[in-house]
């Protein structure tokens, strides 16, 4: 089973993925937790470029193809082999992030991005996509305190630095995608304490196990 987690900055994906991983292991599943960008060797190089706050000159189309290159390699090298061995794969972001950030956020053509996604993934769609949804102000406040705490404001801050309206379009983008494919998506309210959010996530995944 292939599960992806999506959401705006600071939605709490990492915490929820860690909780989901231990829960699924306790049920006896083999679990692989991974992420985009950066879930394979090539991806780590691409991630460093994509998240570097100094790369202000990156063209939107160039950025798009870097995310797609990361995805194509990661699907081929990591995700498909793990699924073939029967693992549950938990992936922190996938193609819906490209549609939300590069499409709804940056303004690239959404339908075209959807077909590029099919090409990059060879048609591999998630069985479940959990969207952790919360107001962008709350998410950005969480992301900022995390980045300053980790000293990551230079290397991981390129997206956090964008204006509020951009993040609002991204949030609306995820909700639009979820409404288009209600069978694949589960929108979970990501406000409140991590355990309360996790019970919503657990329900979404549990229904599809
Ligand atoms: P991530 O490492 O998940 O950061 P965060 O923990 O802040 O959510 O994602 C890195 C950034 O890359 C994030 O700002 C979203 C952005 N992104 C895109 O713009 N397009 C994509 O296709 C992906 C996968 C991520």
């Amino acid at each position: 089973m292939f599960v992806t987690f999506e959401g705006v900055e600071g939605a709490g994906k990492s915490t929820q993925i860690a909780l989901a991983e231990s829960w699924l292991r306790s049920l006896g599943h083999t679990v692989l937790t991974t992420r985009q960008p950066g879930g394979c060797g090539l991806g780590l190089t691409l991630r460093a470029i994509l998240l570097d706050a100094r790369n202000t000159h990156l063209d939107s189309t160039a950025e798009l193809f870097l995310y797609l290159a990361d995805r194509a390699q990661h699907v081929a090298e990591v995700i498909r082999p793990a699924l073939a061995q029967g693992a549950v794969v938990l992936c922190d972001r996938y193609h819906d992030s490209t549609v939300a950030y590069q499409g709804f956020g940056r303004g690239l053509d959404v339908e075209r991005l959807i077909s590029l996604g099919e090409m990059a993934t060879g048609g591999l769609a998630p069985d479940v996509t959990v969207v952790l949804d919360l107001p962008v102000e709350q998410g950005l406040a969480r992301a900022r305190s995390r980045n300053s705490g980790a000293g990551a404001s230079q290397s991981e801050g390129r997206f956090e630095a964008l204006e509020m309206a951009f993040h609002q379009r991204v949030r609306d983008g995820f909700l639009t995608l979820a409404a288009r494919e209600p069978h694949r998506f589960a929108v979970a309210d990501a406000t409140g304490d991590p355990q309360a959010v996790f019970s919503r996530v657990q329900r979404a995944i549990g229904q599809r196990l």
Side-chain angles (χ1 to χ4, degrees), residues 5-9 13 36 91-94 97 101 174:
F5 291 78
E6 301 283 4
V8 294
E9 314 300 309
K13 289 182 285 95
Q36 292 186 0
C91 192
D92 186 338
R93 298 195 184 279
Y94 194 57
S97 273
Y101 280 80
F174 282 127

Side-chain angles (χ1 to χ4, degrees), residues 9 13 47 51 67 71 93 98 101-102 146 159:
E9 314 300 309
K13 289 182 285 95
R47 182 179 177 89
L51 300 194
Y67 280 114
R71 185 156 305 124
R93 298 195 184 279
T98 297
Y101 280 80
Q102 279 64 55
R146 175 190 64 194
F159 280 86

Side-chain angles (χ1 to χ4, degrees), residues 122-146:
L124 180 68
D127 298 297
V128 193
T129 297
V130 178
V131 174
L132 293 168
D133 182 57
L134 87 175
V136 294
E137 296 81 358
Q138 277 186 43
L140 286 170
R142 281 190 199 169
R144 285 203 184 100
S145 62
R146 175 190 64 194

Side-chain angles (χ1 to χ4, degrees), residues 121-190:
T121 62
L124 180 68
D127 298 297
V128 193
T129 297
V130 178
V131 174
L132 293 168
D133 182 57
L134 87 175
V136 294
E137 296 81 358
Q138 277 186 43
L140 286 170
R142 281 190 199 169
R144 285 203 184 100
S145 62
R146 175 190 64 194
N147 282 357
S148 59
S153 49
Q154 270 289 303
S155 59
E156 296 250 318
R158 204 166 68 86
F159 280 86
E160 276 91 345
L162 289 171
E163 82 278 22
M164 200 62 96
F166 173 87
H167 295 287
Q168 190 60 57
R169 290 196 298 279
V170 171
R171 181 191 186 194
D172 293 344
F174 282 127
L175 296 177
T176 302
L177 292 174
R180 273 171 67 152
E181 280 184 81
H183 292 296
R184 169 162 74 90
F185 280 91
V187 179
D189 178 354

Side-chain angles (χ1 to χ4, degrees), residues 22-179:
S22 18
W23 169 57
L24 289 163
R25 282 193 206 283
S26 76
L27 295 180
H29 295 282
T30 302
V31 182
L32 174 80
T33 293
T34 186
R35 70 173 175 184
Q36 292 186 0
C40 59
L42 173 70
L44 284 171
T45 306
L46 296 175
R47 182 179 177 89
I49 299 168
L50 283 162
L51 300 194
D52 191 332
R54 291 164 302 185
N55 283 337
T56 48
H57 64 287
L58 203 56
D59 171 78
S60 319
T61 306
E63 177 190 68
L64 164 70
F65 282 99
L66 294 178
Y67 280 114
L68 295 177
D70 167 75
R71 185 156 305 124
Q73 188 65 31
H74 186 224
V75 165
E77 192 178 314
V78 177
I79 300 179
R80 278 194 193 276
L83 291 172
Q85 288 182 4
V88 176
V89 175
L90 305 179
C91 192
D92 186 338
R93 298 195 184 279
Y94 194 57
H95 192 64
D96 298 301
S97 273
T98 297
V99 181
Y101 280 80
Q102 279 64 55
F104 289 92
R106 298 257 195 242
L108 297 182
D109 185 79
V110 164
E111 302 310 319
R112 228 164 152 194
L113 292 181
I114 291 172
S115 58
L116 282 170
E118 280 161 16
M119 184 174 175
T121 62
L124 180 68
D127 298 297
V128 193
T129 297
V130 178
V131 174
L132 293 168
D133 182 57
L134 87 175
V136 294
E137 296 81 358
Q138 277 186 43
L140 286 170
R142 281 190 199 169
R144 285 203 184 100
S145 62
R146 175 190 64 194
N147 282 357
S148 59
S153 49
Q154 270 289 303
S155 59
E156 296 250 318
R158 204 166 68 86
F159 280 86
E160 276 91 345
L162 289 171
E163 82 278 22
M164 200 62 96
F166 173 87
H167 295 287
Q168 190 60 57
R169 290 196 298 279
V170 171
R171 181 191 186 194
D172 293 344
F174 282 127
L175 296 177
T176 302
L177 292 174

